[in-house]
Amino acid sequence: MDFGMKNRLSRIFRPKTGKTVMLAVDHGYFQGPTSGLKDLKKTVTPLLPHTDCLYITRGMLRTCIDPNTDTPVCLRVSGGPSILGDLSHEDITTSIEEALRLNAAGIGMSIFVGAKNEDRTISNLGRLINDAERYGMPVLAITAVGKEMGRDTRYLGLACRIAAEIGAHMVKTYYCEDFHKVVEACPVPIVIAGGKKLPEMEALQMTENAIKEGASGVDMGRNIFQSDNPVGMIKAVRAIVHKGATVKEAFEIYSKK
Ligand code: R5P
């Protein structure tokens, strides 16, 4: 691996633990003003110091994030359809030059395995990686889960493995039963999305389970920014990911206002 690729990956995964707490705030790219992100700047600013890497679109990065931040950024570079359409119609929306101009540490896009346009999204991933490799830019492949797709080990294992085979440097997927089987069959680091808002204790339990079963961290959104104590929640998630805290210890951290 070249210096550029290694260096960017070390800005996403903390070298001390090899893990990451990414904060996902890209939801608006297909959902519009998502609850908790209507005023993205207000929500994200207090969370940034506790974030290893911010996952965001270029539009929100330019308009809402202070360029003096030292929190690295991973850019969402795919999009197209909204929640009103077929989400699997996604294409690449942001070029590699933009990612370089914006000093991104990584870029990410979704693949829709099993959906109508799975082939198009997987080919797009291949093309994006071809461009990204030229500049030492790591690519995060996200295994999107549509209404008609499952969230079990077999489905997520299939989608993660395909992403790795195409050349993704890291994969974002969902936690599922027997998650360790998904990890074992995927040779690149996996981070979990949080999914819909859960009670804090459940979200922390899911985080602990995922880490114990081999996840390299989280790229979590709603379970942090929709919490009644977002700073407490991200600190609690960090304690599990980086320090091996128990759910009970993490919950105490979350509870401190
Ligand atoms: C979904 O496609 C988005 O990329 C989100 O970044 C991802 O789902 C993580 O956010 P959440 O934890 O809210 O699911």
Side-chain angles (χ1 to χ4, degrees):
M1 222 187 261
D2 195 16
F3 179 91
M5 178 68 78
K6 274 192 194 159
N7 185 257
R8 285 194 173 94
L9 282 169
S10 80
R11 286 159 60 198
I12 300 173
F13 297 94
R14 288 181 86 86
K16 229 175 160 180
T17 61
K19 296 195 170 62
T20 187
V21 175
M22 295 172 76
L23 175 66
V25 292
D26 60 319
H27 305 62
Y29 90 97
F30 71 102
Q31 287 185 359
T34 307
S35 165
L37 291 181
K38 286 191 180 86
D39 186 341
L40 192 141
K41 187 175 185 172
K42 197 173 159 199
T43 300
V44 170
T45 303
L47 295 171
L48 266 187
H50 312 285
T51 300
D52 291 326
C53 183
L54 184 66
Y55 190 63
I56 190 168
T57 59
R58 66 169 155 184
M60 292 299 113
L61 180 66
R62 280 210 169 96
T63 53
C64 303
I65 305 299
D66 181 352
N68 292 313
T69 182
D70 50 16
T71 303
V73 163
C74 186
L75 272 193
R76 148 78 63 181
V77 299
S78 68
S82 76
I83 33 168
L84 305 178
D86 175 351
L87 292 179
S88 78
H89 276 282
E90 270 195 24
D91 239 314
I92 305 298
T93 53
T94 304
S95 68
I96 189 80
E97 287 79 11
E98 266 284 76
L100 292 164
R101 190 178 298 122
L102 293 166
N103 198 26
I107 52 179
M109 64 164 285
S110 300
I111 56 170
F112 291 77
V113 174
K116 195 168 155 211
N117 293 296
E118 70 166 6
D119 51 344
R120 176 160 121 190
T121 61
I122 293 170
S123 306
N124 280 340
L125 175 65
R127 276 189 285 275
L128 185 70
I129 294 168
N130 291 342
D131 281 346
E133 287 282 1
R134 222 170 278 142
Y135 300 100
M137 178 70 75
V139 176
L140 173 73
I142 300 152
T143 68
V145 179
K147 283 184 200 112
E148 69 283 13
M149 296 176 242
R151 277 198 191 197
D152 59 9
T153 323
R154 252 181 106 195
Y155 173 75
L156 296 176
L158 169 79
C160 290
R161 179 57 178 258
I162 289 172
E165 297 264 355
I166 298 296
H169 305 94
M170 45 197 171
V171 176
K172 168 160 71 169
T173 194
Y174 290 90
Y175 181 73
C176 62
E177 207 176 306
D178 288 331
F179 183 71
H180 64 97
K181 291 186 183 165
V182 177
V183 176
E184 281 154 19
C186 179
V188 295
I190 296 187
V191 294
I192 60 152
K196 282 190 184 145
K197 174 79 177 67
L198 301 166
E200 278 71 10
M201 186 65 109
E202 284 177 38
L204 293 172
Q205 186 65 63
M206 178 174 70
T207 305
E208 187 194 53
N209 294 348
I211 295 298
K212 280 192 172 155
E213 291 186 62
S216 297
V218 301
D219 185 12
M220 197 174 266
R222 288 162 287 181
N223 278 291
I224 292 172
F225 63 71
Q226 290 178 354
S227 168
D228 60 356
N229 183 9
V231 170
M233 191 58 184
I234 197 166
K235 284 184 177 171
V237 170
R238 290 192 73 78
I240 294 174
V241 171
H242 288 304
K243 294 190 176 147
T246 62
V247 174
K248 194 170 166 277
E249 289 163 343
F251 192 80
E252 277 164 23
I253 294 172
Y254 149 73
S255 305
K256 277 185 205 148
K257 295 274 172 182

